[in-house]
Amino acid sequence: MHNTYKVGVDKAFEFDLTDQDISEINSIKNSDTSYHILYDNKSYHAEIAQSDFTSKKYSIKVNNTTYQVSIANNLDIRIAEMGFSVGSSKQINAIKAPMPGLLLDIQVKVGQEVNEDDPLLILEAMKMENLILSPRNGVIKAISATKGDAVDKGQLLIEFE
């Protein structure tokens, strides 16, 4: 399986790169943060000015112009498609079905306090049981489905207060 990366530049451009694309870049590492790159017979000096590995956001200086770059790998892309994202757990007020499936179990009740990563429900999809965990600490406000329901992707399942 090949890794694919979504690379966003200044929130204006987005590129899909594979491991092979990256291996074919003609570059020389000058230091831990500095590179010399040849592309289309042109020379570029690139430097990582700032990096936040956790959020995968970087400031890259190319020939004295700074660009804001974000990188998402296969897992980041899949998590975003499911409606979750790293670092935004405090803002999530509802759990929606990440895929169509059968609701096998609901492990919480309305009014129950839950902590981040507590199990909320089990969704069977494509013959696999998927345990859906709480993205944050909170109190269950409403449960919009019942055990045994067939649910569609994006269907509201649980709301937080």
Side-chain angles (χ1 to χ4, degrees):
M1 184 169 128
H2 297 285
N3 289 320
T4 301
Y5 304 92
K6 284 211 179 288
V7 179
V9 179
D10 287 339
K11 296 183 181 178
F13 303 99
E14 190 172 275
F15 306 94
D16 289 333
L17 296 176
T18 64
D19 287 335
Q20 183 174 345
D21 295 330
I22 294 167
S23 72
E24 292 173 358
I25 294 173
N26 187 354
S27 67
I28 297 173
K29 186 174 185 176
N30 297 329
S31 70
D32 285 341
T33 59
S34 176
Y35 298 82
H36 182 257
I37 300 168
L38 290 176
Y39 180 75
D40 277 348
N41 296 320
K42 293 181 185 173
S43 177
Y44 298 91
H45 174 74
E47 180 181 350
I48 303 169
Q50 291 181 339
S51 64
D52 181 351
F53 184 75
T54 304
S55 66
K56 299 180 182 177
K57 295 185 185 221
Y58 305 87
S59 291
I60 309 292
K61 194 178 204 181
V62 179
N63 291 351
N64 295 317
T65 301
T66 302
Y67 300 94
Q68 301 306 314
V69 177
S70 62
I71 301 172
N73 63 19
N74 290 335
L75 179 59
D76 299 323
I77 294 164
R78 182 76 176 148
I79 288 171
E81 287 172 354
M82 292 174 65
F84 298 100
S85 62
V86 174
S88 68
S89 62
K90 305 296 183 248
Q91 301 169 9
I92 294 176
N93 291 321
I95 301 294
K96 296 181 180 179
M99 61 196 87
L102 180 67
L103 198 53
L104 294 181
D105 192 21
I106 299 173
Q107 300 181 347
V108 293
K109 294 179 177 21
V110 174
Q112 182 178 335
E113 285 189 35
V114 295
N115 294 314
E116 185 172 353
D117 294 329
D118 281 354
L120 298 177
L121 49 91
I122 299 173
L123 180 69
E124 182 184 85
M126 298 180 287
K127 298 182 183 180
M128 290 180 56
E129 290 184 7
N130 300 282
L131 182 62
I132 307 296
L133 304 176
S134 178
R136 66 176 181 98
N137 296 342
V139 177
I140 304 299
K141 177 181 178 181
I143 301 173
S144 303
T146 57
K147 182 177 174 179
D149 282 357
V151 298
D152 294 322
K153 179 179 178 175
Q155 181 177 332
L156 179 65
L157 301 174
I158 295 178
E159 289 181 274
F160 289 94
E161 287 185 6

